[in-house]
């Protein structure tokens, strides 16, 4: 049985909603949890809450979406322009083309139902000039964990995760088709069933932005849910700093860490450091894949690659179920769908396990060489440096070359 994810050691200040009454919002009728509930985290002038801070009865994993309260530090909104990084920013930062994903299908697997998912997605895509992606034009499909239309109960917390995931895939791979799979609850078995359904429905790229404590059942979960040769499965590494989570620890997935992404006056135009909240570490149960050669972990090491995750350098998201429209999100829940989109931009996988591809093309990644997510016995597992490290893997996308066979 998994336990609730521990609070992050990187938090520098924590407040309760009693001190911030103006920020509290009521959940829509029938919602599981609330969008803004519980502890408020603050660091460097930016405050946020965990979108899935309250687990429903029986839930064993949590989403990794961090909902920023107000405007992220350093991101000043202009009239009519949402706060947070938009598609043009992300494509520029990661040297990606503007029309990626054509001919590909990306699946998002989340728990519970967001009844406004399709309409909110339409607003996001229209705002940034992206092509429409709807049920009517065959681009968008929403199913339950078994592929039908018996959607689970609504959740305002997970709705934030769903909006974030859909928007990030749209930003990176705007011409890809999208399947949203809604699991009945936030358990590994139900979410894993959703992964199987996504693959059965034809997705070659499956993004998962959730995780929980490892358990001795993980290797059996690997076999049942996450071992899909020829499919790129991305999983967020967690938002609690140093420490392993599952399913990021699965040897069959691409574990995605997180960075702080800022504009810079260098040739790239951007700089990145390891985000202090990104998950990393050694799996206690999953064996090391053959392509992973670091010596600090006897078993699987987290992460493989990374993308923006710091709430202080967060992304624009449009959410109306449990939200009021434009908002900013962070967390490795941003990074996982970004990387799924990059895989889709690179085309259909040509290797059995696409998680191996970045290891064969390390020079085609932006190496992140500074920043830390905690303390550990082998320093590279929690501190970024030249080459491989735990919080960011081999780095962030620099085009699509690192995500091809």
């Amino acid at each position: 049985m998994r336990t609730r994810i521990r609070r992050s050691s990187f938090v520098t200040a924590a407040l309760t909603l009693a001190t911030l009454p103006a920020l509290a919002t009521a959940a829509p009728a029938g919602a599981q949890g609330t969008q803004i509930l519980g502890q408020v985290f603050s660091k460097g002038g930016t405050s946020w809450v965990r979108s899935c801070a309250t687990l429903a009865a029986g839930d064993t994993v949590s989403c990794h979406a961090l909902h920023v309260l107000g405007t992220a530090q350093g991101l000043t909104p202009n009239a009519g322009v949402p706060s947070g990084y938009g598609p043009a920013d992300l494509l520029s930062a990661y040297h990606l083309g503007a029309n990626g994903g054509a001919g590909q299908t990306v699946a998002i697997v989340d728990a519970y139902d967001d009844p406004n998912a399709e309409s909110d997605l339409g607003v996001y895509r229209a705002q940034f000039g992206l092509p429409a992606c709807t049920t009517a034009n065959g681009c968008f499909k929403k199913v339950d964990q078994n592929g039908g239309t018996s959607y689970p109960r609504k959740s305002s917390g997970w709705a934030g995760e769903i909006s974030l995931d859909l928007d990030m895939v749209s930003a990176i791979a705007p011409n890809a088709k999208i399947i949203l799979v809604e699991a009945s609850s936030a358990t590994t078995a139900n979410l894993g069933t959703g992964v199987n359904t996504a693959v059965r429905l034809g997705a070659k790229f499956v993004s998962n932005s959730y995780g929980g404590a490892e358990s001795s059942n993980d290797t059996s979960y690997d076999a049942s849910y996450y071992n899909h040769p020829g499919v790129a499965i991305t999983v967020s590494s967690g938002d609690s700093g140093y420490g392993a989570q599952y399913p990021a620890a699965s040897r069959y997935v691409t574990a995605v860490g997180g960075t702080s992404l800022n504009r810079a006056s260098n040739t790239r135009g951007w700089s990145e450091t390891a985000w202090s909240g990104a998950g990393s570490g050694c799996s206690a149960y999953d064996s090391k894949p053959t392509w992973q050669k670091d010596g600090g972990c006897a078993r699987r090491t987290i992460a493989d690659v990374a993308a923006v995750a710091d709430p202080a350098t967060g992304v624009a998201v449009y959410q109306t179920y449990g939200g009021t429209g434009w908002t900013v999100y962070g967390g490795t829940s941003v990074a996982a769908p970004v990387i799924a989109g990059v895989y889709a931009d690179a085309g259909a996988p040509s290797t059995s396990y696409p998680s191996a591809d970045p290891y064969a093309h390390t020079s085609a990644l932006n190496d992140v060489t500074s920043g830390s997510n905690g303390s550990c016995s082998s320093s590279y597992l929690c501190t970024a440096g030249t080459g491989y490290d735990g919080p960011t893997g081999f780095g962030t996308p620099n085009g699509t070359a690192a995500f091809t066979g």
Side-chain angles (χ1 to χ4, degrees):
M1 182 66 69
R2 301 193 193 285
T3 58
R4 179 175 171 177
I5 299 173
R6 63 183 173 83
R7 288 189 175 90
S8 171
S9 60
F10 66 87
V11 175
T12 59
L15 307 172
T16 65
L17 284 180
T19 65
L20 294 169
L23 298 174
T25 59
Q32 174 264 326
T34 57
Q35 174 60 32
I36 300 178
L37 178 67
Q39 190 174 25
V40 177
F41 299 89
S42 296
K43 186 176 183 183
T46 300
S47 298
W48 65 91
V49 293
R50 296 181 185 273
S51 188
C52 303
T54 300
L55 303 186
D59 284 357
T60 54
V61 301
S62 178
C63 75
H64 290 148
L66 303 180
H67 186 195
V68 175
L69 306 177
T71 302
Q73 183 186 33
L75 300 179
T76 304
N78 298 314
V81 179
S83 282
Y85 292 139
D89 301 309
L90 298 174
L91 297 179
S92 170
Y94 296 127
H95 196 205
L96 301 168
N99 299 299
Q104 308 303 324
T105 299
V106 181
I108 297 296
V109 179
D110 285 311
Y112 301 106
D113 179 41
D114 176 2
N116 299 349
E118 183 173 358
S119 59
D120 285 356
L121 176 62
V123 174
Y124 180 90
R125 293 177 73 106
Q127 170 68 39
F128 294 110
L130 306 179
C133 188
T134 66
T135 301
N137 69 12
C139 174
F140 179 77
K141 184 179 184 69
K142 184 172 95 167
V143 299
D144 62 35
Q145 69 180 44
N146 298 309
T149 56
S150 297
Y151 304 125
R153 68 181 183 272
K154 303 174 183 67
S155 165
S156 57
W158 278 88
E161 178 65 67
I162 290 169
S163 291
L164 168 59
D165 291 344
L166 293 175
D167 291 354
M168 290 305 97
V169 169
S170 297
I172 301 299
N175 288 319
K177 294 182 178 181
I178 301 176
I179 301 173
L180 169 62
V181 184
E182 297 183 333
S184 298
S185 66
T187 66
T188 300
N190 284 332
L191 289 159
T193 297
V195 172
N196 291 344
T197 293
V199 175
R200 175 169 56 82
L201 293 176
K204 291 295 184 182
F205 316 92
V206 184
S207 178
N208 305 269
S209 293
Y210 56 83
E214 293 190 281
S215 83
S216 58
N217 295 320
D218 288 350
T219 54
S220 65
Y221 293 146
D222 281 351
S224 297
Y225 307 124
Y226 297 102
N227 184 7
H228 291 283
V231 178
I233 299 176
T234 64
V235 180
S236 53
S237 68
D239 300 336
S240 297
Y242 180 72
Q245 292 187 15
Y246 189 87
S250 171
R251 63 191 301 242
Y252 298 116
V253 310
T254 300
V256 186
T259 68
S260 302
L261 174 68
N262 290 281
R263 296 185 184 278
S265 57
N266 54 22
T267 301
R268 179 186 171 193
W270 299 86
S271 65
E272 287 178 280
T273 60
W275 174 48
S276 58
S280 68
C282 304
S283 173
Y285 302 101
D286 257 79
S287 60
K288 188 181 291 294
T290 57
W291 51 86
Q292 196 172 58
K293 304 298 184 181
D294 67 297
C297 295
R299 297 183 176 88
R300 167 75 155 120
T301 310
I302 304 166
D304 300 309
V305 293
V308 59
D310 187 347
T313 63
V315 297
V317 172
Y318 191 80
Q319 175 197 359
T320 60
Y321 190 78
T324 57
W326 289 107
T327 188
V328 176
Y329 272 90
T332 52
S333 278
V334 178
V338 164
I339 295 300
V342 176
Y343 270 114
D345 289 351
S350 59
T351 51
S352 294
Y353 293 102
S355 51
D357 293 345
Y359 288 78
H361 305 283
T362 58
S363 62
L365 293 163
N366 299 306
D367 192 9
V368 180
T369 59
S370 63
S372 174
N373 67 355
S375 58
C376 55
S377 56
S378 296
S379 62
Y380 80 93
L381 295 173
C382 57
T383 302
T386 301
Y388 181 84
D389 58 73
T392 68
F394 272 113
T396 64
N398 182 14
T400 61
F403 300 88
T404 59

